[in-house]
Amino acid sequence: MHVYHIPGPAPMLTNTYLAVDDGGTAVAVDPAADVQQYRDSLAAHGAHLAAILLTHGHYDHVGSAQALKDATGAPIYMGLADAAHSRLLPMRPEQIDHGLGDGQILTFGGLSLQVLATPGHSAGSCCFLCGDVLFSGDTLFAGDIGRTDLDNSDPDAMAATMQRLWQTFIRSQAVQVLPGHGPFSSMAEELAGNYYLRRYGAR
Ligand SMILES: [Zn+2]
């Protein structure tokens, strides 16, 4: 699998990704950049888009989802709790082809992604574990976590999510963390140095 980083527009500069398997099957994670960037990257790698995966429904992560679906026919996957059709959470329920549930395994060509429901930053937040890569959305950042003071946020749920991530990865730390904003990290670094993971996980 190859993962290509496609930054979204300023000022949010959301990290968005295309994951492509050796056979040319691709998934887009949080498409927020211009649709043409995904089409160019797909063409450059001889790949076709099989799915659009949204870590959560915030506007800065879903901006191109519908246009990319229209352009490629790829279905949209997202936690249905985030389909609120509000300014912050613009997706409508009818735009979501498949809701996401904890523990689900999504398979597209040679790509297999495990869904981890990680509520807290938003009620429908999920992370996707694909091999040794975790697409962590706005749940886990390098040295930080997502905000929990927004509509649809829940600090208690975030604390439980941190505990869950700790328990899930403490024995399998060789995981690259590709977050929704900011620098990339690794689970080993986060387990060692992320204040929130340590505070809520190690209790
Ligand atoms: Zn967010």
Side-chain angles (χ1 to χ4, degrees):
M1 174 181 71
H2 294 273
V3 179
Y4 302 100
H5 175 227
I6 299 175
M12 300 305 287
L13 297 173
T14 304
N15 292 326
T16 90
Y17 305 97
L18 264 186
V20 184
D21 76 1
D22 292 337
T25 298
V27 300
V29 178
D30 289 353
D34 189 85
V35 168
Q36 195 59 40
Q37 291 189 254
Y38 301 97
R39 302 190 75 172
D40 289 348
S41 185
L42 289 164
H45 302 105
H48 74 278
L49 192 67
I52 297 164
L53 308 180
L54 305 178
T55 60
H56 64 299
H58 283 151
Y59 70 93
D60 57 323
H61 292 254
V62 307
S64 303
Q66 183 64 50
L68 191 56
K69 175 180 169 177
D70 292 343
T72 63
I76 296 176
Y77 292 71
M78 190 184 85
L80 291 175
D82 280 3
H85 196 204
S86 65
R87 190 188 62 80
L88 187 62
L89 295 159
M91 298 299 284
R92 302 186 307 274
E94 60 268 27
Q95 291 179 283
I96 310 305
D97 297 284
H98 303 281
L100 295 172
D102 188 51
Q104 241 178 307
I105 306 288
L106 308 175
T107 305
F108 309 100
L111 301 171
S112 179
L113 301 104
Q114 182 184 351
V115 178
L116 304 177
T118 53
H121 174 68
S122 69
S125 280
C126 292
C127 297
F128 304 110
L129 181 62
C130 187
D132 59 0
V133 172
L134 183 73
F135 297 101
S136 63
D138 286 1
T139 295
L140 184 65
F141 299 134
D144 204 353
I145 59 174
R147 290 173 60 173
T148 56
D149 61 334
L150 305 165
D151 286 349
N152 200 37
S153 292
D154 181 340
D156 292 336
M158 189 60 127
T161 283
M162 289 301 118
Q163 189 172 34
R164 190 260 173 105
L165 290 180
W166 176 280
Q167 289 169 350
T168 301
F169 291 105
I170 191 67
R171 286 177 186 79
S172 54
Q173 300 191 19
V175 171
Q176 191 179 11
V177 176
L178 300 182
H181 299 277
F184 307 151
S185 187
S186 71
M187 195 53 80
E189 284 179 74
E190 295 313 305
L191 290 165
N194 187 301
Y195 168 80
Y196 301 96
L197 261 185
R198 297 188 65 81
R199 175 178 173 191
Y200 298 115
R203 67 185 178 187

